[in-house]
């Protein structure tokens, strides 16, 4: 992403964060006297602000950076636990989400781990759940872009539908109900027509039907990446990652 002619490379890897921060710390220590002199020389009265107000703005920015770093740390912790045996593959998937789906590192890892943490307890194999988690997050980004809403909102709606609350998908033009789920499960040979459809099968069928019902939206995030709305999403995501990098110590 280009900002004022400067390419900002926001890194997700914690070790890289630390290396970058070490360099930043060195530069800051070398220039702290210079910056203090510049601060003292600012004519805040002419600018229409007080030194106190300026300091408060700087302090607020620092607080945001620390908060972003803390949030990322918590998310990475859960991500590493949830994908303990699939970390390399999961990391690669998360990077694609960051680079191509206008998400911050925190968002990508939070969304993936939340779906994985939902599917595995239902009885889905971890490797299959990983693949589906990644695809669910991509579908959420596409539906959000297509319907001009947030990925976070679509994620909540899809996860709700995966556990049987199908009404949440109507707003996206996807009609799901118990009858439709049973018919599709029977057609695919995943249900024998007796009793209830188990939670794992229900989630798989629901996702399959979501894909069918969202055909027009699939790929919309990348197709319309140049739109104002998606550029703002990308800017917000990149800014969050940059803050996390600055606030990580």
């Amino acid at each position: 992403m280009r900002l004022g002619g400067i390419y900002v490379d926001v890194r997700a890897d914690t070790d890289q964060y630390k290396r970058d921060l070490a360099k930043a710390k060195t530069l800051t220590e070398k220039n702290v006297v210079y910056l203090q002199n510049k601060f003292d020389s600012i004519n805040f009265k002419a600018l229409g602000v007080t030194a106190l107000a300026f300091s408060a703005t700087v302090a607020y920015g620092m607080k945001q950076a620390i908060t972003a770093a803390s949030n990322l740390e918590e998310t990475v912790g859960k991500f590493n636990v949830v994908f303990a045996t699939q970390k390399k593959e999961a990391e690669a998937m998360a990077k694609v989400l960051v680079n191509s789906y206008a998400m911050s590192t925190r968002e990508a890892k939070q969304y993936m781990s939340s779906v994985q943490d939902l599917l595995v307890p239902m009885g889905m194999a971890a490797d299959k759940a990983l693949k589906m988690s990644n695809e669910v997050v991509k579908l959420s980004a596409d539906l959000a872009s297509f319907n001009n809403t947030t990925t976070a909102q679509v994620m909540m709606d899809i996860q709700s539908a995966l556990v049987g609350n199908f009404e949440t998908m109507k707003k996206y033009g996807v009609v799901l109900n118990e009858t439709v789920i049973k018919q599709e499960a029977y057609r695919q040979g995943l249900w024998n027509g007796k009793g209830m459809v188990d939670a794992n099968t229900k989630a798989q069928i629901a996702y399959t039907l979501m894909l069918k019902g969202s055909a027009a939206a699939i790929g919309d995030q990348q197709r319309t990446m140049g739109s104002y709305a998606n550029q703002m999403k990308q800017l917000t995501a990149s800014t969050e990652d940059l803050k996390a990098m600055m606030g990580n110590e």
Side-chain angles (χ1 to χ4, degrees), residues 88-161:
K88 185 175 181 180
E89 189 175 1
E91 286 282 2
M93 291 176 175
K95 286 183 179 180
V96 172
L97 293 174
V98 171
N99 294 332
S100 303
Y101 288 85
M103 295 181 196
S104 66
T105 300
R106 176 195 58 79
E107 289 173 319
K109 293 191 172 184
Q110 179 179 313
Y111 296 154
M112 283 185 66
S113 58
S114 66
V115 179
Q116 183 84 354
D117 206 26
L118 179 70
L119 298 177
V120 172
M122 288 183 178
M124 188 176 293
D127 57 343
K128 188 172 184 177
L130 169 61
K131 182 178 179 180
M132 186 168 163
S133 296
N134 183 45
E135 294 304 316
V136 164
V137 179
K138 290 181 178 179
L139 177 60
S140 296
D142 284 334
L143 282 174
S145 176
F146 193 69
N147 292 279
N148 194 31
T149 187
T150 65
T151 302
Q153 180 60 57
V154 182
M155 278 295 303
M156 286 192 293
D157 290 336
I158 288 182
Q159 289 183 82
S160 185

Side-chain angles (χ1 to χ4, degrees), residues 6-57:
I6 300 176
Y7 284 98
V8 179
D9 181 20
V10 180
R11 301 173 176 83
D13 185 81
T14 303
D15 291 338
Q16 186 62 57
Y17 278 162
K18 292 179 179 178
R19 288 193 292 271
D20 288 344
L21 285 166
K23 292 179 182 178
K25 182 179 179 181
T26 299
L27 289 173
T28 300
E29 290 173 345
K30 288 182 178 179
N31 292 284
V32 65
V33 175
Y34 171 79
L35 292 174
Q36 183 62 56
N37 290 336
K38 283 292 184 181
F39 180 82
D40 292 339
S41 69
I42 294 175
N43 188 341
F44 290 101
K45 185 175 182 180
L47 292 175
V49 296
T50 64
L52 181 60
F54 182 80
S55 297
T57 301

Side-chain angles (χ1 to χ4, degrees), residues 106-242:
R106 176 195 58 79
E107 289 173 319
K109 293 191 172 184
Q110 179 179 313
Y111 296 154
M112 283 185 66
S113 58
S114 66
V115 179
Q116 183 84 354
D117 206 26
L118 179 70
L119 298 177
V120 172
M122 288 183 178
M124 188 176 293
D127 57 343
K128 188 172 184 177
L130 169 61
K131 182 178 179 180
M132 186 168 163
S133 296
N134 183 45
E135 294 304 316
V136 164
V137 179
K138 290 181 178 179
L139 177 60
S140 296
D142 284 334
L143 282 174
S145 176
F146 193 69
N147 292 279
N148 194 31
T149 187
T150 65
T151 302
Q153 180 60 57
V154 182
M155 278 295 303
M156 286 192 293
D157 290 336
I158 288 182
Q159 289 183 82
S160 185
L162 289 176
V163 296
N165 301 318
F166 304 127
E167 290 293 315
T168 59
M169 295 307 297
K170 282 188 176 180
K171 69 184 79 172
Y172 309 111
V174 178
V175 179
L176 296 173
N177 55 54
E178 289 291 341
T179 299
V180 172
I181 293 291
K182 287 181 177 180
Q183 290 175 342
E184 185 64 18
Y186 186 78
R187 188 188 71 78
Q188 292 188 28
L190 299 175
W191 180 58
N192 63 8
K194 299 178 181 179
M196 300 295 292
V197 179
D198 65 82
N200 181 19
T201 300
K202 186 179 292 186
Q204 293 182 61
I205 296 300
Y207 175 64
T208 298
L209 295 176
M210 286 180 208
L211 287 177
K212 289 182 179 179
S214 306
I218 293 176
D220 193 75
Q221 175 68 59
Q222 293 180 315
R223 284 196 303 269
T224 62
M225 196 60 193
S227 69
Y228 176 79
N230 282 331
Q231 284 293 296
M232 288 304 296
K233 283 184 181 180
Q234 182 65 72
L235 177 60
T236 300
S238 296
T239 300
E240 180 181 332
D241 272 355
L242 185 59

